[in-house]
Every structure is written in structure tokens, then in C-alpha cells.
Amino acid sequence: MSTEDVAAIAEELTLAEKVGLVHGATDADGTATGFVPGVERVGVPPVRLTDGPLGVRTDEPATAFPASPALAATFDTDLAERMGRALGREATARNQDVLLGPGTNLIRVPHCGRNFEYFSEDPVHSGAFAASVVDGIQSAGVVATPKHYVANNQETRRAEVSAEVDEPVLRELYLPAFRDAVEAGAGSVMSSYNRVNGTYVSEHERLLTEVLKGEWGFDGYVVSDWFGTESVVESVNAGLDLQMPGISASELLDSMGMSPDEEGDGDDASDTAAEANDEGDSAAADADDEAGSILDPDDGSDFVDGMPDPRSGGRYAEALVPAVERGDVPESRLDDMVTRILGSLDAVGHLDGVTESEPTGGGSSDDAGAIDTPEHRRLAVEIATRGTVLLKNDGVLPLADDADVAVIGPNVDEAVLGGGGSSEVTPFAQTAPREGIEARAEGAVSVARGLPRVEGVSLFDAMGEGGEDTADGGEADTADGSENADETAIDDGREPDVEGAVTAAAAADVAVVFVRDRATEAADRDSLRLPERQDKLIAAVADANDRTVVVANASGPIETPWLGDVAAVLAGWYPGQAHGEATAAVLYGDADPGGRLPVTFAPAEAYPTADERRFPGVDGEAAYDEGLLVGYRHFDAAGDEPTYPFGHGLSYAEFRYEDVEAVGPSTVEVTVANVADRAGREVVQAYVDSPDAPDERARPPRELAGFAAVELGPGESATVEIGLDERAFGRYDASHGWTVDAGPHVVSVGRSSRDRRGSATIER
Ligand code: BGC
């Protein structure tokens, strides 16, 4: 359909019909995260939007893919494109038209509760993954929604905190991945809850209309985050196009099968504030007079600080028609909103002659999508395997096939599927760590949990009493759907205890200890230490067996106080449904550990965000005054040795780098030789050190400009070409925009931001 055809549909609509297309409504089927009824009279079918970045979240199972840092750790954008396509196909199979992902925020705060939904601390790296996932989703006939635009880098008070960040920093660090996602064809972008320099992003004309739509030429629609719309007239005129969920919190919880708290107080301070607002808020508040029901502020829940205002759900439904009639919102702006939404849907085939909802999900009607296919299962294994990072190896790995292994850890009977919140997915099948090792090992396998199960945290538990239905019809009581785990499990006839784990470790050739953190949307981790007594468990096991391997399944960086006592460490992130299978493949060397760190690992106090002004902020403001020195940029500038740098990851093979050469203004070449007697996969990284800038700003010593991976058999070598992103050469100048300073730009090539093996100079 042409742009004119889309405009012609919009022209036929009444004012009420137009407004009906720019906010959500209740989904009678209760399957969608967000629902727009469409306008049957003119052939616009209903639109269903679903979470999320790690798998499709409806009320039915779907493939639970590895979390975003695991995907990013692969440094393999082809895998990202394939995962995006699989997400799109699964969304279609579930009759969904729009996928609410990928999570595209930069990892600024190591404690951020949603880091498991984000890719990386580097903008070029994040952007490459966001773009590839978007490309995949859209190629499957589904609208992608990179989120949460922008500077949503923490969950603590996410609904009101103001990121105080200056323009060059925003341009160089926080905006680029969104721009890449837009350039890859994203049909939609989700605005974040937070404020940027005092203005809510949902009302930020500069960010929404001038930068995103104007400069970048984004012709899709901006959707609000759920309950993240602060006003009607201001947000619409600033550039917000679709309000979600468009209904009250109680209606939403109802449609999700959750029972709202019947005892809403209806007379709290927030209702008074709503009454004072003339933009339809008092009506919304009335409809929602159990405003406190989404979470009771008095119940001490960890999430209260991270929740948006539940009264804000129905604002456009209540007040947009009168606002247009009064002339506060020009009708041309409403037409723009409608054509943007219809245009994005049309681009994925949703308007192709469909007049009512079809089981195909509307989009590409020749393609019914696919879910839980062997291909998707294999892809989940491949990403989890390739994304596993070997941080340390004293030679204990890979394990001998016939080694006697003690499998230790409080959660060895469950796959770590993800963190809590809107990205929770219930898989059809999963392999627990214990199963993975038992299936692969040829030696004896003993199991000792060592500690009581470490429970994940779920936002949904806090929100309603109903819980979510799970694949087997049970109730998911944790973020990871781990109701499958046998909580009463005992080790050798006794309650799990550290002593039992020590005994098992001492009797085995190798002890493999699985540990995990717990992270969730709407709250930040309070520490980078492992929860419960897992650090103690590792120390005790390492004391009993010199050949102790730690597998850390975490949302981001963790502290490793036991590092010097263990023989090997794997960072396995949240690996999703393939946890056991993928980890076993790496442990036994069936796959080379292909992962490299997308975030720096260091003790909490070593990050710039250890200053509370920066995180979580003071008086509602988070000062981003570390400027450009985020992640490895900070550690490199400070000359501080992190525990493990960005880009780090060992292979079972060994590589030699030779002949780094610039072969053009934006390309370097290097010869990489595998000097080991086994095959391996090397991730070659290029960092640019630009000439000193004439401004005062502290600039990072070097910035990632590109990467490429190569698989080499024993003794093989290859010339690897790396394309360099122009942004790594440049800086954003407050008065001149993107500027490349003249002079020599030194391009270092190597294994990480710290392990650089050679360099070439490019004159600009
Ligand atoms: C999250 C979004 C999500 C939405 C719908 C919000 O709480 O921030 O990422 O897509 O809910 O579930």
C-alpha cells in the first residue's frame, strides 16, 4: 500500500475512530500485552502488541531465548538477526503484530535491574545488536519496538528520575543504538518512563520530534511505556503517537487474570493530584480509584520505587477528543499519529486486505509464523553456547569426557530463564544444568545443592495474587518459571547444606558450581555480590577441590571474591531454556567458548556510578556527569585494572595477531593465526584513539569501532577485515554536531579493550 493509500484510509476516519487508533483498549482474548481494536469499517484489523526481548510473552509458552547480554556476548550479529526473525515468527504464530523489543538502552549502571534486557555498555556494539534484532523481527512481518527511548538506565524511581545528561554525551552514548535500530527499519520506538533534563521523555519534543522524527527521519510511531504518559496535550504535541495500555490499571490487571486489590483507598494524595489536573486525569483516576492496587506503597515491596502511576493509563481515551475539539491538539497532528501507526503496520503487511483479525496475526498472511520449531530450539542452544564467556581457565577446562563431576549449586535443577518483569517467558521445554551435564558426562555425576534454592524475583508476584499461568497449567511463582524445580529436593538424604556440597566436591575429579543473581524490572540489584550464601558456598567447595569451576548466571557484572581460589569461571548470563545443554557443550569443549564480555566486570565501588549523585541520584536527579566515561571508557581513562575488561573472553584455542594494516579510511585488516592444536573462534576487536579534542571534556582513551569473528582450525590463519564505525572517529560538538578532528587516529586491534595486539594509523 502506498503512503497515499494509508493517508486515504486516515481521511475516511471520524474523529472518534482516529482517537480509537492512538490508544490501547482491553484485549478480549487477554493474550496481548497491548491491544488496539482497529476500525473494521475501513478494513483496519485489530493490532496486538506483545512483550518482549527474550521471547514472546502471551498466556501460552514460547521459546525462551538467552537474555540480551548473552546475545551481545556472541559478538555475532548474524545470530542476532536470526533470533529477531525467530521472535517475529513466534509472535505471528501467537497472533501478535508488534513485538515490544529489543531493549536498546546502554548499560550505564552495573546494578540496573534490567541489564539482562539490554546489550552492552558500548554504543557501537549495542547499536549493531539492536539493528540486527530489529531487522530480523521486521523481516518476519512483525513491527519491532526498540525501547526504552532514552536514558532509562536504572529501575530505581524509573518513573520520575531525571537523567541529567548533556547533549554531547546523549549523542555519543545513549542515542546511537536507537538511531541504528531506526535505520534498520524499526516501525515503532517506545518512550521511556524517566525524564531527561527535567522533561518526561513522553513529553520531550526535542527528543521525540526534532531528533528522532526530524533528524533521523523516523516515520514510524512512538508508543508510550505502560502507564508512562504524563499528559494528553503536551505529550501528543511533543510527538507521542500511541498511548499504552490505554486503559486503567484495574482493567489491565483484570484482563491479565490478576485480581486487583479490592481495598483501594481512593482518597490518597495521588487522587487529589489527579483531580487537580484538567487533562482528563480525574476521570482516569475515578475509573481507577483503586490506584494503589497495582502495588500498595505500604507493603514494603521492592518494586514500589520502580512503578509508574497506574492512573495514567486511560488519558487519551478520556481527553483526546475534547482536546482536538478545543484546538489544543491540531487535527493534523492526530492525522500524523494515525498515519504513522498505519504506515508501520502496512510496512509489515498488516493492512494487506485483511478486514478482521486472522490467526495469522494479520501481517504477511501467507506466513502463519512458527513456534517452538526444532530450528528455534537449536538457535536458543547456539546463542546460549556462543554467548558463554570463559573468564578464567587454569587448564581445568575443557573437562575430560570421563571426569567424575560434582554438580553443585542451589538451582542446579532449573534453567535460569531470565529476570523478572515484562520479559518473562514460559518455555515449552528447558534443560537444567544438572540434566545438561548428566546427558554429556561419561564419568560419574554427583549432585549437591549446598544451599536452599535461590529464588528469582517477579514483578508479577507483587502486582497480583493470581500469578501467571504456565505451560503446564501451574502457577509460576518465580521470574524463571521454576515451579518445575523440586523444592523439597534433598541431597543424599539430607537438606541441602554446604557440608554436603564439600563432601561431594572432595570426592569428585572436578566440582562445577552453578550460582545465580536475581534481577528484575522495576528494581535495581542492591549489590553486585551473589545473593544468599553463594559466595561462601563457592569458597567452601574451592577449599575442598582445587579443580573447581564456577558457572555464574547473572544479569550483568558480579563481584568475584573467590576468584583466586577457583580454577575456572564461566559467565553464562541468563541462558534461557537451553541452559544445561549449552553450558555442558562449553564445559566439555564441544563448542569453543565464543563469548566476550559486553560489560566490564569490576567491584561496585570501582564504577563511576558508585557516587549516589550519579546512581540512584539525589532529589529526583541522576547526574550523568561521568560524561563519556562509562564502562571501559572509565576504566581506561582512570588507568584502573577492572576484574575483567570489556571484550574479554578466553578461547580453548590460542591466537596470534600479525600485520595490522589500515586498508582504507574506515577499514583495517589483521592476520589472525590459531596456534593451538584445536579449533577455536576468535572475536577480533578494533578500538580507535582519536587525536586530542580541543574541548574540555574528558574523552575516553579509546572507543570500540568494529569487530569481526573468525573460526580457525588448528594451525590455520586468516586475514580478518574490520569495518570501522565513523562515530568512533568523531565526537559530538555542542555547536558543530558530529565532528572528526584532523590528525592521526590510532586503531588498535586485539582481544579486548585491554589486550591490544597491534595498531595502524588512519589520518583524517
Ligand atoms: C515495561 C516495558 C514493557 C511494558 C509492557 C513496562 O513495564 O517497561 O518494557 O514492554 O511494561 O509489558
Side-chain angles (χ1 to χ4, degrees):
M1 196 177 286
S2 68
T3 317
E4 290 74 33
D5 293 340
V6 170
I9 297 181
E11 258 170 44
E12 276 184 57
L13 301 172
T14 65
L15 176 60
E17 285 170 341
K18 288 179 196 171
V19 169
L21 282 176
V22 301
H23 67 78
T26 303
D27 174 16
D29 302 344
T31 60
T33 309
F35 178 76
V36 182
V39 183
E40 205 180 339
R41 187 177 70 78
V42 294
V44 174
V47 186
R48 293 185 172 82
L49 298 79
T50 184
D51 284 312
L54 317 186
V56 174
R57 180 172 74 84
T58 63
D59 56 347
E60 293 179 283
T63 303
F65 286 100
S68 305
L71 180 62
T74 66
F75 278 69
D76 183 341
T77 53
D78 177 53
L79 272 183
E81 197 271 332
R82 284 165 57 202
M83 177 169 149
R85 187 168 165 74
L87 288 172
R89 288 174 64 74
E90 298 216 344
T92 302
R94 288 285 178 244
N95 197 22
Q96 306 292 314
D97 313 296
V98 177
L99 196 93
L100 303 171
T104 301
N105 292 102
L106 196 83
I107 298 183
R108 167 181 185 253
V109 178
H111 300 74
C112 175
R114 289 187 99 169
N115 284 344
F116 71 91
E117 294 183 64
Y118 301 143
F119 295 117
S120 170
E121 67 186 24
D122 179 86
V124 167
H125 189 226
S126 293
F129 280 84
S132 301
V133 171
V134 163
D135 193 19
I137 294 170
Q138 297 256 160
S139 75
V142 167
V143 175
T145 312
K147 64 187 186 183
H148 312 85
Y149 180 81
V150 60
N152 181 183
N153 306 108
Q154 65 184 60
E155 294 299 282
T156 308
R157 294 190 286 281
R158 63 174 168 164
E160 69 256 351
V161 70
S162 178
E164 295 293 307
V165 52
D166 70 19
E167 173 107 11
V169 173
L170 207 50
R171 295 283 188 164
E172 289 193 37
L173 293 185
Y174 300 98
L175 288 171
F178 286 97
R179 183 176 189 159
D180 290 342
V182 164
E183 285 175 359
S188 168
V189 167
M190 186 188 291
S191 59
S192 57
Y193 289 126
N194 54 287
R195 293 176 292 152
V196 171
N197 299 326
T199 303
Y200 282 103
V201 174
S202 59
E203 302 177 339
H204 212 299
E205 189 174 353
R206 170 130 182 82
L207 287 171
L208 299 184
T209 299
E210 292 177 26
V211 174
L212 173 64
K213 295 179 179 176
E215 281 181 39
W216 301 353
F218 172 64
D219 57 8
Y221 63 90
V222 179
V223 57
S224 75
D225 201 343
W226 268 235
F227 303 103
T229 310
E230 304 297 320
S231 61
V232 177
V233 174
E234 251 181 303
S235 62
V236 166
N237 288 340
L240 190 67
D241 302 302
L242 175 61
Q243 195 208 356
M244 277 294 159
I247 50 176
S248 71
S250 50
E251 287 169 313
L252 181 69
L253 290 181
D254 238 14
S255 72
M256 291 164 76
M258 293 179 164
S259 12
D261 173 4
E262 301 299 344
E263 291 158 29
D265 48 25
D267 62 358
D268 61 11
S270 54
D271 285 351
T272 314
E275 278 153 22
N277 189 319
D278 66 358
E279 287 202 326
D281 293 356
S282 59
D286 288 345
D288 206 11
D289 62 357
E290 64 276 25
S293 66
I294 203 163
L295 282 183
D296 179 355
D298 299 326
D299 75 357
S301 155
D302 291 346
F303 301 106
V304 167
D305 258 4
M307 293 310 288
D309 180 349
R311 294 166 303 140
S312 63
R315 287 196 161 130
Y316 285 16
E318 293 290 337
L320 189 47
V321 169
V324 174
E325 283 169 346
R326 277 198 313 272
D328 291 345
V329 168
E331 190 153 0
S332 57
R333 170 66 190 120
L334 181 60
D335 291 341
D336 177 46
M337 295 157 80
V338 170
T339 46
R340 283 173 175 277
I341 293 166
L342 294 181
S344 291
L345 293 168
D346 181 50
V348 296
H350 189 65
L351 303 184
D352 290 354
V354 187
T355 51
E356 57 189 37
S357 173
E358 304 245 336
T360 60
S364 44
S365 44
D366 56 331
D367 181 354
I371 199 152
D372 190 39
T373 59
E375 183 199 342
H376 292 183
R377 287 191 181 206
R378 274 197 306 273
L379 185 59
V381 177
E382 200 178 338
I383 298 168
T385 306
R386 183 156 285 175
T388 301
V389 184
L390 179 59
L391 294 174
K392 166 177 178 165
N393 186 14
D394 283 355
V396 64
L397 296 180
L399 298 178
D401 291 347
D402 60 357
D404 292 342
V405 181
V407 180
I408 294 168
N411 296 62
V412 292
D413 285 310
E414 58 193 276
V416 179
L417 300 177
S422 55
S423 62
E424 294 174 28
V425 183
T426 304
F428 286 89
Q430 50 181 295
T431 53
R434 170 197 193 152
E435 289 166 335
I437 292 179
E438 280 175 347
R440 177 60 180 79
E442 288 171 21
V445 176
S446 60
V447 176
R449 289 165 196 80
L451 295 173
R453 174 166 170 264
V454 175
E455 294 204 21
V457 268
S458 173
L459 173 62
F460 291 117
D461 281 353
M463 275 170 56
E465 292 147 16
E468 290 223 288
D469 285 340
T470 58
D472 57 9
E475 301 251 297
D477 59 351
T478 69
D480 40 33
S482 46
E483 77 293 344
N484 295 332
D486 180 1
E487 288 185 58
T488 58
I490 49 172
D491 298 330
D492 298 331
R494 54 201 276 177
E495 291 297 314
D497 63 0
V498 174
E499 213 180 303
V502 164
T503 309
D509 296 329
V510 180
V512 182
V513 192
F514 287 85
V515 289
R516 63 164 296 174
D517 76 343
R518 50 179 165 218
T520 179
E521 173 178 344
D524 292 315
R525 284 191 291 166
D526 54 11
S527 165
L528 301 188
R529 287 285 170 105
L530 294 169
E532 310 298 352
R533 287 172 295 141
Q534 295 180 97
D535 284 337
K536 286 209 169 77
L537 174 67
I538 295 170
V541 169
D543 213 28
N545 191 325
D546 287 345
R547 294 164 61 81
T548 292
V549 179
V550 173
V551 181
N553 294 113
S555 55
I558 53 161
E559 289 185 4
T560 53
W562 28 259
L563 188 60
D565 303 325
V566 302
V569 183
L570 289 170
W573 318 106
Y574 294 161
Q577 66 180 43
H579 190 169
E581 197 176 342
T583 310
V586 174
L587 287 170
Y588 284 91
D590 302 335
D592 196 39
R596 304 293 184 264
L597 287 181
V599 283
T600 304
F601 273 44
E605 65 275 9
Y607 294 88
T609 47
D611 179 341
E612 68 162 341
R613 282 184 322 102
R614 293 180 176 149
F615 169 73
V618 174
D619 296 335
E621 294 186 348
Y624 281 42
D625 59 3
E626 74 282 2
L628 299 170
L629 303 183
V630 168
Y632 68 89
R633 290 164 162 79
H634 158 76
F635 289 91
D636 287 353
D640 281 357
E641 199 60 47
T643 313
Y644 290 110
F646 176 89
H648 170 75
L650 303 171
S651 161
Y652 290 144
E654 208 188 317
F655 302 95
R656 200 174 56 221
Y657 285 62
E658 284 164 353
D659 305 330
V660 177
E661 204 187 332
V663 292
S666 307
T667 312
V668 288
E669 270 183 8
V670 59
T671 303
V672 179
N674 178 359
V675 295
D677 58 5
R678 57 182 299 140
R681 177 178 185 269
E682 181 65 330
V683 176
V684 184
Q685 304 160 39
Y687 296 83
V688 174
D689 176 6
S690 297
D692 286 345
D695 68 9
E696 300 286 287
R697 185 178 304 279
R699 292 212 57 87
R702 66 194 70 84
E703 304 185 77
L704 184 76
F707 52 88
V710 60
E711 302 207 23
L712 295 171
E716 263 177 25
S717 69
T719 301
V720 179
E721 186 182 285
I722 308 175
L724 306 172
D725 194 301
E726 196 56 19
R727 285 169 297 195
F729 289 88
R731 63 188 168 84
Y732 192 88
D733 182 284
S735 24
H736 300 104
W738 281 102
T739 306
V740 176
D741 294 309
H745 295 252
V746 180
V747 185
S748 307
V749 175
R751 307 200 71 250
S752 77
S753 61
R754 286 298 170 99
D755 185 355
R756 301 181 302 280
R757 301 290 177 91
S759 67
T761 299
I762 295 180
E763 282 291 336
R764 287 294 184 90

